[in-house]
Amino acid sequence: MKFMDLLHTASSSMLRSKARTFLTIIAIFIGAMTITLTNGIGTGIKSYLNRQIGNLGATNVLQIQLTNKSSSGPSSANSGPTAYNPNQKVSVSRGGGPGGGDKQLLMSSKDISTIKSIPNIMSVAPEQAISPDYIMGTSGKYQLSLQQQFGVTTADMLAGSGVDNNSSQSQVTIPESYVSSLGYSSDQAIIGKPVIVGITSAEGQQSTITAIVNGVQQKTLIGASSAYANTALANQLYPIQSTGLPAAIADSFSTVEATFPNNFTAAQISTIKSDLTAKGYSGQTIKDRENTIFTAINVIIIVFD
């Protein structure tokens, strides 16, 4: 049968079953449109999350914890109790439940020295939980969540820039929503201006520290209410907060942040992680957290496809 005969037969068949032909065309169109929209939405979500997760911190930072070799914690009906180690500080719970939940071992300054010895680790600092009482601008005191910035910040700023950890000046970046409350008419107006941070020691004595506003953060879904302090400010606030605590408690932390060169490849970062594992630690980057989220998104996209 010639090509023209095949074409004529197909055309005749389509005209005889107009309803079936119409429905088939609509089904193909809807299917193609659904795939296009799903892929477009997936790409858009990934792009948006890239920006949101970028606001959580620097991309050249490893969040490091001691590896808990007991899968069920210090005491478990499944594995039995873990042998006592006099050199290991008491672990802290990261969950609830009858079994006490997951456990995270505590580190000390000795662990910082060990991590610093690993090749290509540039700096190491404990992740200190800073709990200020208030922040004050030209008038009024307001509660604020404050975190220490590690590494090179990638956060979007409406004005100014991220804090500089190499500066000896105490610096802070603030959420956009705090600008007017602190007494300033615009994001740009508060840049370079001093704010007062109040903080109380373990003995109940309140002190104040002056910091300079280095930037106003873009509003985000993640970490929208947190301000960020540079190393100089954190090093002023944490000792005040820890005054009155036993030395062993003040020198205890569950997580440290280590920086590596900003231009490192995935293979080089993987080598650092392997070196950490060999010494009993585990490290995770912002990119690792991002990949976990994107894996879930990809599964959803596949289901819709």
Side-chain angles (χ1 to χ4, degrees):
M1 185 177 288
K2 297 180 180 180
F3 175 75
M4 292 303 297
D5 294 332
L6 289 172
L7 188 61
H8 177 73
T9 302
S11 299
S12 299
S13 178
M14 289 174 62
L15 291 173
R16 283 197 303 270
S17 306
K18 294 183 179 64
R20 185 180 64 186
T21 300
F22 175 75
L23 291 174
T24 301
I25 294 172
I26 291 296
I28 294 172
F29 174 76
I30 292 175
M33 183 176 66
T34 301
I35 292 173
T36 302
L37 286 174
T38 302
N39 289 334
I41 291 171
T43 301
I45 291 174
K46 289 179 181 179
S47 176
Y48 177 71
L49 284 177
N50 263 320
R51 295 174 65 87
Q52 295 291 310
I53 294 172
N55 286 320
L56 284 177
T59 56
N60 67 323
V61 171
L62 275 166
Q63 188 180 65
I64 300 171
Q65 297 178 329
L66 266 172
T67 302
N68 190 351
K69 296 180 180 180
S70 173
S71 61
S72 303
S75 180
S76 170
N78 298 323
S79 63
T82 303
Y84 170 66
N85 180 357
N87 297 318
Q88 177 59 64
K89 292 187 179 181
V90 178
S91 59
V92 292
S93 176
R94 293 190 300 171
D102 193 12
K103 303 289 178 179
Q104 178 57 51
L105 304 179
L106 296 177
M107 292 185 281
S108 67
S109 54
K110 181 180 178 181
D111 293 286
I112 288 182
S113 298
T114 301
I115 294 169
K116 279 183 178 178
S117 69
I118 294 175
N120 296 314
I121 292 292
M122 298 167 58
S123 64
V124 184
E127 190 176 277
Q128 299 165 335
I130 304 172
S131 302
D133 299 327
Y134 64 84
I135 184 171
M136 182 175 71
T138 57
S139 64
K141 298 177 181 179
Y142 300 91
Q143 293 182 356
L144 184 67
S145 171
L146 184 65
Q147 299 181 44
Q148 183 176 351
Q149 176 67 51
F150 296 93
V152 181
T153 180
T154 58
D156 289 332
M157 294 290 165
L158 292 173
S161 59
V163 295
D164 181 4
N165 282 328
N166 294 318
S167 174
S168 59
Q169 180 187 63
S170 294
Q171 298 176 352
V172 64
T173 61
I174 61 171
E176 177 189 9
S177 59
Y178 274 72
V179 173
S180 60
S181 297
L182 294 177
Y184 292 89
S185 58
S186 67
D187 299 331
Q188 191 61 49
I190 199 172
I191 301 301
K193 298 298 191 296
V195 291
I196 304 298
V197 179
I199 192 163
T200 299
S201 70
E203 297 173 334
Q205 182 68 40
Q206 190 176 75
S207 302
T208 60
I209 297 294
T210 300
I212 300 300
V213 176
N214 216 53
V216 177
Q217 299 155 197
Q218 174 76 33
K219 185 177 181 180
T220 63
L221 291 177
I222 305 173
S225 62
S226 291
Y228 287 87
N230 69 341
T231 301
L233 178 56
N235 286 346
Q236 281 189 289
L237 293 173
Y238 190 74
I240 294 173
Q241 179 179 287
S242 302
T243 299
L245 291 175
I249 295 178
D251 188 39
S252 297
F253 34 85
S254 63
T255 306
V256 301
E257 306 275 354
T259 60
F260 52 86
N262 203 36
N263 60 350
F264 257 32
T265 64
Q268 289 172 308
I269 296 172
S270 180
T271 298
I272 296 177
K273 290 179 182 178
S274 297
D275 291 339
L276 284 167
T277 300
K279 291 183 179 293
Y281 303 95
S282 60
Q284 188 179 50
T285 65
I286 288 289
K287 189 69 177 177
D288 294 328
R289 301 181 202 176
E290 179 182 283
N291 289 338
T292 300
I293 295 173
F294 285 173
T295 298
I297 292 174
N298 288 334
V299 170
I300 294 172
I301 291 173
I302 291 172
V303 169
F304 277 111
D305 285 347

